[in-house]
Amino acid sequence: MSKKGKKVITITLLGFLYIVSPIDAHAGWQQTLESNFDIAETFDELKDWGANGLYPSGSGDSRAYDPALLPKKIDGSASRWGYWNNKYPTAIVGAINNGPFQTGETVTNGLGANWEYRQTYVIDGVTYIRLQDAIYGQSVGAFQVGHTIRGLASGATATITAWPKIIADHGTNKWRSEGKSLMMNLGDNDNADGAMAGIGAQRLGMFLGDGATGKSGYKKVHVFMMVKFAPTYFGASGNQADIDYVRVFKFVDVCSGFTRIDEFGTPAEQQFIEQTAQTATEYGANCSVVNVNGGGLSNAGRAWYTEIIATATPTPDIVPPSIQTYYGKSRLPMDMFNNDVAYQSRGADFNTIYDTGKAAGEWIGLEIIMDIGTTNASNGSTELFIYDKQGVVRGHFTATGLSKLVYFDHYYNKITLGGNRRTGPSTSNTDGRYWVDDFIVDDARIGLKYFAALAASQGPVDGVAPSVPTGLSVH
């Protein structure tokens, strides 16, 4: 992709001189980013997109890759996004009559579809009803906009008016106060019955390779995005010190060796991998999963990013016996604490970026840089930059001498946002959404160049904190 433009900007940030490559400050923002970076997604030039009552919840579900169900550009052509999951079907409804619905009761549309009612959420005056398929896989998509649903035990009724939009103009929850953003909602595997789910995507992924070989894509990849968490995402009060225990929070997967979005390796390589959805379809044999960690008694008031490196490992049971097969075995997490003396000791704790603020509710910039290294050598690396919304670097982590590529000589070529979440119970009934905007992939440093382009296009980002969503209640 071309990185051409018309204007050169030089900025000084934190004492470092940084030359920004040419940009056109008057071009559309999507076009500006595309002229500077290999892959840029502002979501502004995509059609509004939602789940429409569908919830392919695993990589083995063919609907997760169906082009007809994936995000599209405004002109109707395919976007770069090739894979998605949604945790549960959650409908937007009008007033609940004769209510409330009762948790666990069967809900019917009177047309043969029977789902199970789980929970009602009211956010900013909009009522959402979280349902699940009473007999998994048999009722998906049977409820439609306009259907009136009725609880068989309670007698409560409501009319489905819409399904939540995943990519859309999310009001105050979009970066730059214009365009669109991506809304994510991972649910909670440990508190499945109580946690918000289905009001946003669980996963959204793209393929970066050439479709022919796993050694296509990036040996060293830079991944950038702007991120905003709902104010009470990590703790019910929203205060910096209130971070519920986070056991698992898969934030982004950076995987190597794919030949398409849902297939790891070439046909010749396929015979050497374990034929499970996780290895053959989802993560491959060598992958890095960036999680969020922290909270609880031992890490009170802290939330940071951590990397789990999975590398090709011989499977215990070899089938057939004459062929050694491999799967991706995860190592212990590598916490990406700040280790650069230029920044405060907790600079990579993203909840402490804003001295007087909350653990969430503010936009931050995240840049992850990964070098996959070479096979059977400890020469891979990981680097993390955390930016505040003004573009100032607040934390920096770097690690070298990492073994990321064991068997299979591949490059990074698949990135998936989101995944599973497992956390403490106090956040089960809080707003479980977060938003992503300006997702960028490149082969060189992104953040400083990005914020310089942003300043050139619209001036410095307003320092006023985004408004906090109001009126959240759980029934």
Side-chain angles (χ1 to χ4, degrees):
M1 182 176 292
S2 172
K3 298 181 183 179
K4 298 178 180 178
K6 301 178 181 178
K7 185 176 181 181
V8 176
I9 295 177
T10 303
I11 63 171
T12 301
L13 187 60
L14 296 179
F16 294 97
L17 184 67
Y18 194 83
I19 307 298
V20 179
S21 68
I23 65 170
D24 182 354
H26 301 290
W29 186 234
Q30 176 72 41
Q31 288 70 38
T32 295
L33 295 183
E34 286 180 354
S35 71
N36 281 269
F37 305 107
D38 292 343
I39 296 171
E41 178 61 89
T42 64
F43 303 99
D44 301 347
E45 298 190 358
L46 300 183
K47 290 184 177 181
D48 284 4
W49 176 72
N52 295 318
L54 301 176
Y55 59 109
S57 58
S59 59
D61 192 324
S62 62
R63 294 172 302 172
Y65 310 98
D66 186 345
L69 302 176
L70 287 162
K72 289 184 173 54
K73 295 180 180 179
I74 291 174
D75 64 7
S77 62
S79 71
R80 285 187 171 273
W81 301 104
Y83 164 51
W84 71 289
N85 283 171
N86 196 40
K87 196 76 170 181
Y88 290 108
T90 301
I92 298 174
V93 301
I96 298 176
N97 305 307
N98 307 313
F101 289 94
Q102 296 178 11
T103 299
E105 73 171 319
T106 298
V107 175
T108 181
N109 63 354
L111 300 172
N114 294 303
W115 285 7
E116 181 182 338
Y117 167 79
R118 298 310 306 173
Q119 209 150 14
T120 295
Y121 292 93
V122 180
I123 308 173
D124 294 333
V126 178
T127 300
Y128 300 84
I129 289 185
R130 206 199 95 187
L131 306 165
Q132 65 185 43
D133 195 355
I135 304 174
Y136 182 77
Q138 295 189 18
S139 300
V140 175
F143 282 11
Q144 299 176 13
V145 172
H147 284 183
T148 296
I149 56 177
R150 177 174 59 89
L152 296 185
S154 65
T157 60
T159 299
I160 298 176
T161 60
W163 298 101
K165 295 291 179 62
I166 295 172
I167 295 173
D169 180 345
H170 291 300
T172 59
N173 299 311
K174 59 178 182 288
W175 177 236
R176 299 178 295 112
S177 300
E178 62 182 55
K180 302 179 182 182
S181 59
L182 165 69
M183 183 166 65
M184 302 291 291
N185 181 198
L186 311 189
D188 186 344
N189 287 28
D190 285 343
N191 307 286
D193 287 341
M196 177 188 288
I199 311 178
Q202 181 190 0
R203 287 183 173 90
L204 188 66
M206 65 167 57
F207 173 60
L208 314 174
D210 62 8
T213 172
K215 199 174 179 67
S216 63
Y218 295 82
K219 180 183 182 297
K220 186 174 184 178
V221 65
H222 295 241
V223 180
F224 175 92
M225 69 193 84
M226 296 299 298
V227 184
K228 175 186 175 182
F229 297 94
T232 58
Y233 191 96
F234 295 104
S237 72
N239 295 324
Q240 282 186 344
D242 181 17
I243 305 294
D244 201 359
Y245 171 60
V246 182
R247 182 179 177 185
V248 174
F249 177 178
K250 293 179 182 176
F251 187 78
V252 59
D253 307 337
V254 183
C255 301
S256 63
F258 280 76
T259 52
R260 64 186 192 194
I261 190 71
D262 59 346
E263 185 169 294
F264 173 82
T266 63
E269 291 168 332
Q270 279 275 325
Q271 65 177 319
F272 295 105
I273 63 170
E274 184 181 52
Q275 293 301 309
T276 62
Q278 284 205 332
T279 302
T281 306
E282 178 72 20
Y283 302 106
N286 298 295
C287 179
S288 285
V289 180
V290 176
N291 276 263
V292 171
N293 208 338
L297 296 177
S298 59
N299 292 292
R302 304 193 68 182
W304 64 85
Y305 288 101
T306 186
E307 180 184 13
I308 297 177
I309 302 171
T311 56
T313 304
T315 52
D317 300 316
I318 302 172
V319 180
S322 61
I323 298 177
Q324 178 66 69
T325 57
Y326 296 82
Y327 73 107
K329 182 178 181 178
S330 298
R331 303 178 180 181
L332 292 175
M334 179 177 66
D335 293 324
M336 290 192 274
F337 295 131
N338 180 67
N339 60 6
D340 189 327
V341 295
Y343 308 103
Q344 60 176 314
S345 60
R346 291 192 173 185
D349 290 11
F350 59 82
N351 64 304
T352 62
I353 283 179
Y354 299 99
D355 299 330
T356 56
K358 297 184 176 181
E362 294 275 9
W363 286 95
I364 64 170
L366 169 69
E367 182 168 2
I368 304 165
I369 305 168
M370 293 182 177
D371 189 324
I372 201 168
T374 54
T375 54
N376 290 309
S378 297
N379 58 358
S381 65
T382 296
E383 195 170 7
L384 173 79
F385 287 95
I386 300 286
Y387 307 84
D388 66 18
K389 64 185 178 184
Q390 301 288 352
V392 178
V393 177
R394 293 300 189 99
H396 177 223
F397 166 85
T398 185
T400 58
L402 303 177
S403 176
K404 293 193 171 189
L405 200 63
V406 179
Y407 191 84
F408 302 111
D409 186 10
H410 288 152
Y411 287 169
Y412 291 121
N413 60 13
K414 178 181 177 181
I415 300 175
T416 302
L417 300 172
N420 297 321
R421 182 185 182 215
R422 305 181 69 180
T423 188
S426 70
T427 51
S428 290
N429 292 330
T430 60
D431 192 339
R433 300 173 298 165
Y434 67 95
W435 297 268
V436 174
D437 211 341
D438 288 358
F439 174 84
I440 300 169
V441 180
D442 202 65
D443 60 359
R445 181 79 182 273
I446 297 171
L448 299 181
K449 185 177 177 182
Y450 168 84
F451 283 105
L454 181 65
S457 70
Q458 65 176 32
V461 179
D462 193 316
V464 178
S467 60
V468 175
T470 59
L472 172 65
S473 60
V474 181
H475 304 286

